[in-house]
Amino acid sequence: MGAHSIWVLEYSRSPVHPVSGVFYGAHNQGTMNLPFAYILIKTGDAVVLVDAGHDAADFGGQIANSIGVTGWTPPDLVLGECGIRPQDVTHVILTHAHFDHIGGLKFFPNAKIFIQKKELESWMWILTKGRRFRSLQAGLNPADILYLTQANIEGRLKLVEGERENLVPGVHVYPAFDTHTAGSQYVVVETAGGDGKFVLSGDVIYTYSNLTGGDANDPCFVPPGLANGSQTRLIESAEEMLKIVGMDERRIVPMHEEQLSKIYPSRQTDRQLMLVEICLADGDVSRV
Amino acid sequence: MASGGTVFGGFRCEALVGSGSSPEARACLKALVRTYGELLAIYSFMHMALKEKSMRLLIGELADRATEIKRSVRSSPAGSPGLAGQGHALSHLGRADRLLVEAEEHLQRGVLVSDAPLLGLLSNAAIELKRSAAILGTTTFDTTACCGGSLLGHGEEDHGSAFDLGA
């Protein structure tokens, strides 16, 4: 037990995600089931979301449809499983600016928003380059940038430059530049009661097989296939995360990992979405 | 169809989609909507950069790209007779154009006395683009490059094979 409760909340899924998007070099390997999720952290008075999902009614929903994402469920229902309302969320930490991580920001009107400044600068640079560079624009929804601008005017947008420790007590963010995207970041939760650390990897690691190559006895890093940055940097960042958790892979929490529900206590909601309980704070009530 | 008009993506319009234009003209108009979407994204980032002094380095390059886009819009055949049947979509696009022109005037001043007018112009332009995109059955931003784009014209089949990740 410690000071933090952490839940992984599936809000949507793709039953037909190309394997090659998840594993670099896995050509002609068909499709796989891929959960889409965000992560809820409760500690003290803070209600922190790591990423915000997308809005099915917006352009992000069109991108989602185009890649076979189904079963989108609104945040009030998803968070309601943990007794949280969207307006209760105090902080949203964005691991990167792809539509399925940033597009749901509008549902959390009271939250401060934390994103690496480099992530936004990289999108600006891509847009200056013109149509020939449009493959780098994949996953961007211009309306999300408008929303960030509005949040900035309201004083809710916080641009992070590199590391930020104790963003809230025991919750740290670290950069993973030039990996999945140019300005990706990941989150470390340091529980106070001796549970150690958990790493919330964003899309720098999609699944445990990115850490092992599917062979626990002879592990091999296989980085995600979908990346604007470098495969080498993805592997370096994965190693960095492993070191933070003392090489205990199970303390890394990839939000697209379907096996989380087999490792941690979990249940399926009425809407057939997985709710995974990574850890519970002292005195908090289990939701699974 | 709902009574009193057609519902496109959650909003109601009183006119029907025109059917008198050629597929080529319609495709041209769809491309134009996405081009305006790119312009909207650029202006949104320029607005943000005006607020964040440390992000201003790229404003000039963004402005140059915006100029290129506007040049391409001027040379597009959007006003040609072939688009006569698309009047409804064109009217929304025309409104978006006017809003973006006004937004550009704010951006060119370089200093924002108040954020609200510019944000309002960009937000309304986004709404108009969304309307024209819904009428035409396209998106407000170019997704053709997403995950390989036209290079991969068909979806990945599920071969169901056990593959060696480390291979």
mmCIF file with all atom_site columns, all heavy atoms in Angstrom, chain B residues 14-27:
data_model
loop_
_atom_site.group_PDB
_atom_site.id
_atom_site.type_symbol
_atom_site.label_atom_id
_atom_site.label_alt_id
_atom_site.label_comp_id
_atom_site.label_asym_id
_atom_site.label_entity_id
_atom_site.label_seq_id
_atom_site.pdbx_PDB_ins_code
_atom_site.Cartn_x
_atom_site.Cartn_y
_atom_site.Cartn_z
_atom_site.occupancy
_atom_site.B_iso_or_equiv
_atom_site.pdbx_formal_charge
_atom_site.auth_seq_id
_atom_site.auth_comp_id
_atom_site.auth_asym_id
_atom_site.auth_atom_id
_atom_site.pdbx_PDB_model_num
ATOM 1  N N   . GLU B 1 14 ? -30.206 23.192 -43.859 1.00 0.00 ? 14 GLU B N   1
ATOM 2  C CA  . GLU B 1 14 ? -31.509 23.288 -44.519 1.00 0.00 ? 14 GLU B CA  1
ATOM 3  C C   . GLU B 1 14 ? -31.448 22.917 -45.990 1.00 0.00 ? 14 GLU B C   1
ATOM 4  O O   . GLU B 1 14 ? -32.460 22.754 -46.642 1.00 0.00 ? 14 GLU B O   1
ATOM 5  C CB  . GLU B 1 14 ? -32.065 24.704 -44.365 1.00 0.00 ? 14 GLU B CB  1
ATOM 6  C CG  . GLU B 1 14 ? -32.333 25.094 -42.919 1.00 0.00 ? 14 GLU B CG  1
ATOM 7  C CD  . GLU B 1 14 ? -33.230 24.105 -42.200 1.00 0.00 ? 14 GLU B CD  1
ATOM 8  O OE1 . GLU B 1 14 ? -34.241 23.684 -42.781 1.00 0.00 ? 14 GLU B OE1 1
ATOM 9  O OE2 . GLU B 1 14 ? -32.902 23.729 -41.060 1.00 0.00 ? 14 GLU B OE2 1
ATOM 10 N N   . ALA B 1 15 ? -30.263 22.825 -46.517 1.00 0.00 ? 15 ALA B N   1
ATOM 11 C CA  . ALA B 1 15 ? -30.158 22.487 -47.937 1.00 0.00 ? 15 ALA B CA  1
ATOM 12 C C   . ALA B 1 15 ? -29.570 21.094 -48.103 1.00 0.00 ? 15 ALA B C   1
ATOM 13 O O   . ALA B 1 15 ? -28.916 20.580 -47.218 1.00 0.00 ? 15 ALA B O   1
ATOM 14 C CB  . ALA B 1 15 ? -29.272 23.504 -48.644 1.00 0.00 ? 15 ALA B CB  1
ATOM 15 N N   . LEU B 1 16 ? -29.850 20.492 -49.250 1.00 0.00 ? 16 LEU B N   1
ATOM 16 C CA  . LEU B 1 16 ? -29.306 19.171 -49.517 1.00 0.00 ? 16 LEU B CA  1
ATOM 17 C C   . LEU B 1 16 ? -27.986 19.298 -50.259 1.00 0.00 ? 16 LEU B C   1
ATOM 18 O O   . LEU B 1 16 ? -27.668 20.322 -50.858 1.00 0.00 ? 16 LEU B O   1
ATOM 19 C CB  . LEU B 1 16 ? -30.305 18.370 -50.367 1.00 0.00 ? 16 LEU B CB  1
ATOM 20 C CG  . LEU B 1 16 ? -31.628 18.058 -49.679 1.00 0.00 ? 16 LEU B CG  1
ATOM 21 C CD1 . LEU B 1 16 ? -32.575 17.389 -50.669 1.00 0.00 ? 16 LEU B CD1 1
ATOM 22 C CD2 . LEU B 1 16 ? -31.390 17.129 -48.491 1.00 0.00 ? 16 LEU B CD2 1
ATOM 23 N N   . VAL B 1 17 ? -27.233 18.216 -50.202 1.00 0.00 ? 17 VAL B N   1
ATOM 24 C CA  . VAL B 1 17 ? -25.978 18.211 -50.931 1.00 0.00 ? 17 VAL B CA  1
ATOM 25 C C   . VAL B 1 17 ? -26.270 18.272 -52.415 1.00 0.00 ? 17 VAL B C   1
ATOM 26 O O   . VAL B 1 17 ? -27.130 17.552 -52.911 1.00 0.00 ? 17 VAL B O   1
ATOM 27 C CB  . VAL B 1 17 ? -25.210 16.913 -50.614 1.00 0.00 ? 17 VAL B CB  1
ATOM 28 C CG1 . VAL B 1 17 ? -23.867 16.916 -51.332 1.00 0.00 ? 17 VAL B CG1 1
ATOM 29 C CG2 . VAL B 1 17 ? -25.034 16.768 -49.135 1.00 0.00 ? 17 VAL B CG2 1
ATOM 30 N N   . GLY B 1 18 ? -25.547 19.091 -53.105 1.00 0.00 ? 18 GLY B N   1
ATOM 31 C CA  . GLY B 1 18 ? -25.742 19.197 -54.532 1.00 0.00 ? 18 GLY B CA  1
ATOM 32 C C   . GLY B 1 18 ? -25.291 17.933 -55.243 1.00 0.00 ? 18 GLY B C   1
ATOM 33 O O   . GLY B 1 18 ? -24.340 17.292 -54.855 1.00 0.00 ? 18 GLY B O   1
ATOM 34 N N   . SER B 1 19 ? -26.009 17.579 -56.295 1.00 0.00 ? 19 SER B N   1
ATOM 35 C CA  . SER B 1 19 ? -25.628 16.379 -57.030 1.00 0.00 ? 19 SER B CA  1
ATOM 36 C C   . SER B 1 19 ? -25.293 16.688 -58.486 1.00 0.00 ? 19 SER B C   1
ATOM 37 O O   . SER B 1 19 ? -25.095 15.798 -59.283 1.00 0.00 ? 19 SER B O   1
ATOM 38 C CB  . SER B 1 19 ? -26.769 15.357 -56.967 1.00 0.00 ? 19 SER B CB  1
ATOM 39 O OG  . SER B 1 19 ? -27.938 15.950 -57.471 1.00 0.00 ? 19 SER B OG  1
ATOM 40 N N   . GLY B 1 20 ? -25.257 17.982 -58.789 1.00 0.00 ? 20 GLY B N   1
ATOM 41 C CA  . GLY B 1 20 ? -25.066 18.348 -60.187 1.00 0.00 ? 20 GLY B CA  1
ATOM 42 C C   . GLY B 1 20 ? -23.617 18.470 -60.606 1.00 0.00 ? 20 GLY B C   1
ATOM 43 O O   . GLY B 1 20 ? -23.341 18.723 -61.774 1.00 0.00 ? 20 GLY B O   1
ATOM 44 N N   . SER B 1 21 ? -22.690 18.294 -59.700 1.00 0.00 ? 21 SER B N   1
ATOM 45 C CA  . SER B 1 21 ? -21.306 18.503 -60.079 1.00 0.00 ? 21 SER B CA  1
ATOM 46 C C   . SER B 1 21 ? -20.636 17.175 -60.394 1.00 0.00 ? 21 SER B C   1
ATOM 47 O O   . SER B 1 21 ? -21.081 16.112 -59.984 1.00 0.00 ? 21 SER B O   1
ATOM 48 C CB  . SER B 1 21 ? -20.562 19.206 -58.949 1.00 0.00 ? 21 SER B CB  1
ATOM 49 O OG  . SER B 1 21 ? -20.681 18.445 -57.772 1.00 0.00 ? 21 SER B OG  1
ATOM 50 N N   . SER B 1 22 ? -19.533 17.268 -61.099 1.00 0.00 ? 22 SER B N   1
ATOM 51 C CA  . SER B 1 22 ? -18.828 16.053 -61.495 1.00 0.00 ? 22 SER B CA  1
ATOM 52 C C   . SER B 1 22 ? -18.039 15.496 -60.313 1.00 0.00 ? 22 SER B C   1
ATOM 53 O O   . SER B 1 22 ? -17.715 16.222 -59.368 1.00 0.00 ? 22 SER B O   1
ATOM 54 C CB  . SER B 1 22 ? -17.865 16.404 -62.625 1.00 0.00 ? 22 SER B CB  1
ATOM 55 O OG  . SER B 1 22 ? -16.836 17.230 -62.106 1.00 0.00 ? 22 SER B OG  1
ATOM 56 N N   . PRO B 1 23 ? -17.701 14.191 -60.369 1.00 0.00 ? 23 PRO B N   1
ATOM 57 C CA  . PRO B 1 23 ? -16.862 13.612 -59.306 1.00 0.00 ? 23 PRO B CA  1
ATOM 58 C C   . PRO B 1 23 ? -15.528 14.332 -59.176 1.00 0.00 ? 23 PRO B C   1
ATOM 59 O O   . PRO B 1 23 ? -15.001 14.486 -58.071 1.00 0.00 ? 23 PRO B O   1
ATOM 60 C CB  . PRO B 1 23 ? -16.670 12.164 -59.769 1.00 0.00 ? 23 PRO B CB  1
ATOM 61 C CG  . PRO B 1 23 ? -17.826 11.884 -60.667 1.00 0.00 ? 23 PRO B CG  1
ATOM 62 C CD  . PRO B 1 23 ? -18.159 13.184 -61.333 1.00 0.00 ? 23 PRO B CD  1
ATOM 63 N N   . GLU B 1 24 ? -15.005 14.769 -60.331 1.00 0.00 ? 24 GLU B N   1
ATOM 64 C CA  . GLU B 1 24 ? -13.707 15.465 -60.286 1.00 0.00 ? 24 GLU B CA  1
ATOM 65 C C   . GLU B 1 24 ? -13.824 16.781 -59.518 1.00 0.00 ? 24 GLU B C   1
ATOM 66 O O   . GLU B 1 24 ? -12.964 17.132 -58.714 1.00 0.00 ? 24 GLU B O   1
ATOM 67 C CB  . GLU B 1 24 ? -13.208 15.752 -61.712 1.00 0.00 ? 24 GLU B CB  1
ATOM 68 C CG  . GLU B 1 24 ? -12.818 14.521 -62.513 1.00 0.00 ? 24 GLU B CG  1
ATOM 69 C CD  . GLU B 1 24 ? -14.016 13.788 -63.088 1.00 0.00 ? 24 GLU B CD  1
ATOM 70 O OE1 . GLU B 1 24 ? -15.138 14.343 -63.065 1.00 0.00 ? 24 GLU B OE1 1
ATOM 71 O OE2 . GLU B 1 24 ? -13.830 12.637 -63.534 1.00 0.00 ? 24 GLU B OE2 1
ATOM 72 N N   . ALA B 1 25 ? -14.936 17.488 -59.801 1.00 0.00 ? 25 ALA B N   1
ATOM 73 C CA  . ALA B 1 25 ? -15.129 18.767 -59.123 1.00 0.00 ? 25 ALA B CA  1
ATOM 74 C C   . ALA B 1 25 ? -15.321 18.549 -57.623 1.00 0.00 ? 25 ALA B C   1
ATOM 75 O O   . ALA B 1 25 ? -14.811 19.305 -56.787 1.00 0.00 ? 25 ALA B O   1
ATOM 76 C CB  . ALA B 1 25 ? -16.340 19.481 -59.712 1.00 0.00 ? 25 ALA B CB  1
ATOM 77 N N   . ARG B 1 26 ? -16.051 17.496 -57.299 1.00 0.00 ? 26 ARG B N   1
ATOM 78 C CA  . ARG B 1 26 ? -16.291 17.196 -55.884 1.00 0.00 ? 26 ARG B CA  1
ATOM 79 C C   . ARG B 1 26 ? -14.967 16.847 -55.180 1.00 0.00 ? 26 ARG B C   1
ATOM 80 O O   . ARG B 1 26 ? -14.707 17.291 -54.059 1.00 0.00 ? 26 ARG B O   1
ATOM 81 C CB  . ARG B 1 26 ? -17.269 16.022 -55.792 1.00 0.00 ? 26 ARG B CB  1
ATOM 82 C CG  . ARG B 1 26 ? -17.898 15.833 -54.445 1.00 0.00 ? 26 ARG B CG  1
ATOM 83 C CD  . ARG B 1 26 ? -18.895 14.683 -54.514 1.00 0.00 ? 26 ARG B CD  1
ATOM 84 N NE  . ARG B 1 26 ? -19.389 14.327 -53.199 1.00 0.00 ? 26 ARG B NE  1
ATOM 85 C CZ  . ARG B 1 26 ? -20.460 14.852 -52.637 1.00 0.00 ? 26 ARG B CZ  1
ATOM 86 N NH1 . ARG B 1 26 ? -21.151 15.767 -53.283 1.00 0.00 ? 26 ARG B NH1 1
ATOM 87 N NH2 . ARG B 1 26 ? -20.842 14.473 -51.437 1.00 0.00 ? 26 ARG B NH2 1
ATOM 88 N N   . ALA B 1 27 ? -14.140 16.060 -55.862 1.00 0.00 ? 27 ALA B N   1
ATOM 89 C CA  . ALA B 1 27 ? -12.838 15.694 -55.300 1.00 0.00 ? 27 ALA B CA  1
ATOM 90 C C   . ALA B 1 27 ? -11.979 16.933 -55.092 1.00 0.00 ? 27 ALA B C   1
ATOM 91 O O   . ALA B 1 27 ? -11.256 17.060 -54.087 1.00 0.00 ? 27 ALA B O   1
ATOM 92 C CB  . ALA B 1 27 ? -12.130 14.700 -56.211 1.00 0.00 ? 27 ALA B CB  1
#
